[in-house]
Amino acid sequence: MELHSKQCGYFLGLSFFFAFIAGLASGAIQHHDFVIKPTPVNRLCLTQHVMTVNGQFPGPTLHVHDGDTLIIKVTNAGKYDITLHWHGVRQLRNPWADGPEYVTQCPIKPGGSYTYRFTIENQEGTLWWHAHSKWLRATVYGALLIYPKHGSSYPFPKPKREFPLMLGEWWNRDPMHVLRQATITGAAANVSDAYTINGQPGDLYPCSNKDTTVFPIQAGETILLRLINAALNQQLFFSIANHQMTVVEADAAYTKPFTTNIVMIGPGQTTNVLVTGNQAPGRYYMAATAYDSAQGVAFDNTTTTAILEYKSAASKSKKGSSARPILPQLPAWNDTNTADAFTAQFRGLSKGKVPIEIHENLFFTINLGLINCSGPNFRCQGPNNTRFTASMNNVSFVLPKRNSILQALYQNTPGVFTTDFPPVPPLLFDYTGNVSRGLWTPVRGTKLYKLKFGSHVQIILQNTNIVTTEDHPMHLHGYHFYVVGSGQGNFDPKRDPANFNLVDPPLRNTIGTTPGGWVAIRFVADNPGVWLMHCHLDVHIGWGLAMAFLVENGVGELNSIVPPPPQLPQC
Ligand code: C2O
C-alpha cells in the first residue's frame, strides 16, 4: 500500500514534469548524448589522459535557438564524480537542471548517468557549459550558442561568419591532482602551464605550432567572434594585431556597440565582438595573456595565440611565402586601469526594466583569508604556516556531503543547510584599508540567504584587503543582473548611489570587483530555487568564496519550482 502510493506520487510528479517541459517547448527539441571519459590529449610535447565529453577537447558546441529545449543525457564513464552546469541559462523554475554539485544535485557517480532537460526562455547570445565538480571544468567545457528565434535577427548587421573563441587553461598534469595537492598542503595551487584558444596553446609554446587555431576572414567582410573565458583561475586580456573589435553582446545580453583594441574577460564571462577584415591581406596574431590583480601571488604569465588569416593570404602561405604574423600589443599583467576602463564601457540594450525600488539591500564582502590548521591530515603550507581560505561576509561556504541543498529543501531533510547568511558584514571595518590580522579568519558553514519571490534585490559586492585585494569574477546562478555601479575603495551608501546607472546598465551573469573596490548589482528574484553565487576562479570556490540564495516559491504552480525530474542522482 505504502509502496503503491509512493509510486503514484512518482508518476504524478513525472507527468507534471513532462507537461511542464511540453508546455514551454514552443521551439525545437534537441537530444544529445554526452559521455564523460578519459581521453588522451597531446599538448606541450606531452600526452595526458584528461576527462572530456565524447573524446572532444574542448567539448561539443551546442547550437540552439531561443525557445528550444535541450535534453542532454550525461553518462559518466570516467573515474571522478561529475555534474554539468549550463552557465548563464536561467533555468526558470527548474533548478534541477542547473548542475552545481551538492547545491542543486548530487554528483553523477562513475558508471552513472543523468539527463538534463531545460528550455531556453528569452535568452540569446553566447553562453557555455562546463563541469561543476572540483576542477573537472579545466577540460570538460564547451560553447552554448543561442541564436534568435526563427524570423528574428541580431540587433547588428548579420556577420559573414561566426566562430566561438574559447579561452582555456592547461596543466601538464591532471588538474584534479593539482587540486588535490593544494587541498592537502593548504598552499596556493600550482599555476597552469599554458593558456589555450579553442584548446590549442599556439605558436609561442613548445610542440604547438602546427596545431595553432586559425580563424579565416575575407578582405572586406565582418565576422563575429564569440569569446568565452573558460580558464579555471585567470582573467585574460585579448587583442588582435592591427584590428579593432566592436563589442555587441556579453553574457547573452546585447550591448550598445563600442569599439576597442583590448578585451578583458574574466572566467565565466562571454563577450561577442565584430571584426572587419580591413587590413592588408595577411596573417595576424590574436593573443591572450593574464590580467592578474592579486599582490605577490604566482600566476601563469605565458601568452596563447591564434591566427586571423585572410583567405588570399592563406593560399599564398601554402606556397611558403608567409612571414611570421605580428603580435598585438597586450597590456601589462597588472594593468587594472585598462581592465576597468574596458568594463566601464558596457551599456545595456535590453528591453527589461532596472528595479528602482529596492526591497533587499544586501552588502557582501568578498574576502580571501588564512586559517591556522591542526589535525593529522592537513598541512599548513600557506603563508606563515597557515592554510588559504576565502569567504563572503566572513562565512566560508562549505558544500554539504550527504545531500544536495536543493534535494534537502525539497524533501524537508533538516541539518543540511541553514538560512542565516548575514545580509551585511557581521563586523564593520575599513574593508580596503589595513585590515587587522584578527579579521582574517572566517567561520565555516552552509549558509543560505532567503529571498521572497519577486523581491527587488540590490547587492554591493565589496572587495577587501584581507591577505590581498583582488578582482574576483562573481557569478550568480539562475539569474542575470544589472550592473548599476562600481567604484574604488569602500562603498559609500550616502554618496555612491547618486552615480548609479539606472538607465542603460549592462545585464551580466558574471562581474568582477575592481581590486580594493566594489560593484553594485540589481535583479528581481523571480526564479524560485537554490542558486549559488561564487567567485568563478575555481581555486577560490574550493576555499569557500561562495554563498547561495534560497528564492522561495511564489503563488501558484507557474511561480513554483517544478517537480524533480526522474532519476535525479542520490548522494
Ligand atoms: Cu560557470 Cu557556478 O559556474
Side-chain angles (χ1 to χ4, degrees):
M1 187 62 202
E2 160 105 37
L3 186 72
H4 180 244
S5 74
K6 262 196 195 144
Q7 278 179 346
C8 258
Y10 178 70
F11 287 118
L12 207 63
L14 253 187
S15 50
F16 264 126
F17 181 76
F18 287 118
F20 161 77
I21 287 290
L24 289 176
S26 55
I29 299 183
Q30 289 193 11
H31 289 262
H32 296 272
D33 270 309
F34 275 20
V35 180
I36 315 285
K37 57 179 178 190
T39 307
V41 176
N42 186 290
R43 295 292 181 277
L44 309 177
C45 325
L46 283 174
T47 298
Q48 293 185 75
H49 284 75
V50 294
M51 292 300 152
T52 69
V53 167
N54 300 346
Q56 289 171 247
F57 174 69
T61 299
L62 298 171
H63 301 264
V64 303
H65 290 266
D66 183 21
D68 287 357
T69 294
L70 281 158
I71 301 181
I72 300 164
K73 182 179 181 195
V74 178
T75 305
N76 186 358
K79 59 178 172 178
Y80 301 116
D81 288 1
I82 198 166
T83 64
L84 294 188
H85 167 54
W86 318 92
H87 179 113
V89 175
R90 290 208 55 201
Q91 307 288 10
L92 292 172
R93 303 172 300 286
N94 185 21
W96 307 106
D98 192 43
E101 74 175 351
Y102 297 109
V103 178
T104 61
Q105 68 167 100
C106 297
I108 309 167
K109 299 257 178 271
S113 70
Y114 176 52
T115 301
Y116 293 88
R117 298 160 203 264
F118 56 92
T119 299
I120 308 289
E121 291 182 76
N122 292 315
Q123 290 191 276
E124 34 188 273
T126 303
L127 291 176
W128 60 300
W129 55 268
H130 61 78
H132 213 299
S133 311
K134 305 268 177 48
W135 275 23
L136 288 170
R137 81 170 177 84
T139 55
V140 178
Y141 65 85
L144 168 53
L145 311 183
I146 311 169
Y147 302 105
K149 284 201 163 82
H150 294 283
S152 67
S153 53
Y154 300 134
F156 47 83
K158 194 174 172 0
K160 277 284 173 332
R161 295 164 224 279
E162 309 191 347
F163 308 96
L165 191 159
M166 303 201 72
L167 299 162
E169 205 170 359
W170 180 263
W171 277 261
N172 277 338
R173 284 170 72 191
D174 182 340
M176 291 291 273
H177 294 172
V178 178
L179 172 66
R180 191 163 167 270
Q181 184 193 2
T183 308
I184 292 171
T185 63
N190 285 2
V191 300
S192 55
D193 296 291
Y195 299 112
T196 55
I197 295 179
N198 290 352
Q200 294 295 342
D203 288 2
L204 307 184
Y205 296 90
C207 309
S208 303
N209 184 294
K210 70 179 195 327
D211 297 314
T212 300
T213 306
V214 175
F215 295 88
I217 192 168
Q218 206 137 47
E221 76 179 10
T222 296
I223 64 171
L224 178 68
L225 298 175
R226 297 170 174 271
L227 310 183
I228 298 166
N229 188 346
L232 216 57
N233 295 322
Q234 197 63 60
Q235 286 94 341
L236 294 163
F237 286 123
F238 174 82
S239 186
I240 309 175
N242 293 15
H243 290 75
Q244 299 257 318
M245 297 173 272
T246 302
V247 174
V248 290
E249 187 232 293
D251 295 4
Y254 294 115
T255 62
K256 294 187 174 157
F258 66 93
T259 298
T260 184
N261 292 317
I262 303 285
V263 166
M264 193 287 287
I265 186 165
Q269 295 183 318
T270 68
T271 304
N272 279 8
V273 299
L274 296 169
V275 177
T276 300
N278 54 10
Q279 296 299 304
R283 301 166 83 236
Y284 296 85
Y285 271 131
M286 314 159 96
T289 192
Y291 163 49
D292 198 90
S293 59
Q295 302 292 308
V297 177
F299 67 97
D300 172 356
N301 67 355
T302 62
T303 302
T304 179
T305 54
I307 293 168
L308 182 68
E309 182 175 80
Y310 283 68
K311 288 199 159 175
S312 48
S315 48
K316 255 191 234 151
S317 79
K318 280 195 194 93
K319 291 175 212 141
S321 67
S322 83
R324 193 176 177 97
I326 50 167
L327 268 170
Q329 267 258 298
L330 286 157
W333 59 270
N334 58 357
D335 190 347
T336 290
N337 288 342
T338 296
D340 287 355
F342 171 73
T343 304
Q345 291 184 73
F346 283 83
R347 295 285 179 278
L349 199 70
S350 55
K351 312 149 210 147
K353 270 221 206 85
V354 190
I356 300 295
E357 188 200 343
I358 296 299
H359 309 127
E360 291 276 2
N361 204 340
L362 308 176
F363 188 100
F364 294 172
T365 58
I366 312 295
N367 319 313
L368 296 178
L370 296 176
I371 43 175
N372 299 320
C373 62
S374 55
N377 298 327
F378 289 103
R379 286 187 256 148
C380 289
Q381 293 176 9
N384 308 318
N385 302 317
T386 58
R387 298 175 59 80
F388 276 109
T389 184
S391 69
M392 294 173 71
N393 277 356
N394 206 44
V395 182
S396 186
F397 192 74
V398 179
L399 287 175
K401 289 201 177 66
R402 292 200 189 81
N403 207 348
S404 75
I405 297 170
L406 183 63
Q407 282 160 294
L409 172 75
Y410 205 79
Q411 298 150 357
N412 255 314
T413 312
V416 176
F417 64 90
T418 57
T419 54
D420 55 348
F421 185 85
V424 294
L427 200 71
L428 304 185
F429 58 97
D430 177 4
Y431 308 112
T432 53
N434 243 326
V435 185
S436 92
R437 188 58 215 273
L439 299 176
W440 288 24
T441 306
V443 298
R444 287 161 54 80
T446 308
K447 295 181 188 293
L448 277 63
Y449 189 82
K450 224 186 237 183
L451 290 173
K452 285 235 169 333
F453 182 87
S455 54
H456 296 182
V457 184
Q458 172 175 291
I459 312 174
I460 308 298
L461 297 164
Q462 172 72 59
N463 185 220
T464 72
N465 192 18
I466 295 181
V467 185
T468 170
T469 59
E470 183 171 1
D471 185 321
H472 296 275
M474 298 301 297
H475 173 50
L476 175 59
H477 286 228
Y479 286 88
H480 40 212
F481 47 74
Y482 292 101
V483 181
V484 296
S486 63
Q488 306 286 333
N490 299 338
F491 174 72
D492 180 342
K494 294 206 184 66
R495 193 192 59 208
D496 290 323
N499 300 321
F500 282 179
N501 174 6
L502 303 176
V503 177
D504 59 357
L507 260 184
R508 308 285 316 232
N509 63 49
T510 308
I511 191 70
T513 58
T514 186
W518 55 270
V519 62
I521 65 172
R522 289 187 180 186
F523 60 95
V524 176
D526 56 1
N527 189 15
V530 171
W531 305 109
L532 193 62
M533 182 175 211
H534 63 86
C535 175
H536 218 287
L537 307 177
D538 276 23
V539 63
H540 294 172
I541 307 179
W543 293 346
L545 218 176
M547 57 80 64
F549 287 104
L550 193 175
V551 182
E552 296 176 314
N553 284 332
V555 178
E557 220 171 281
L558 285 179
N559 295 318
S560 300
I561 301 176
V562 298
Q567 278 115 43
L568 192 66
Q570 303 297 312
C571 291

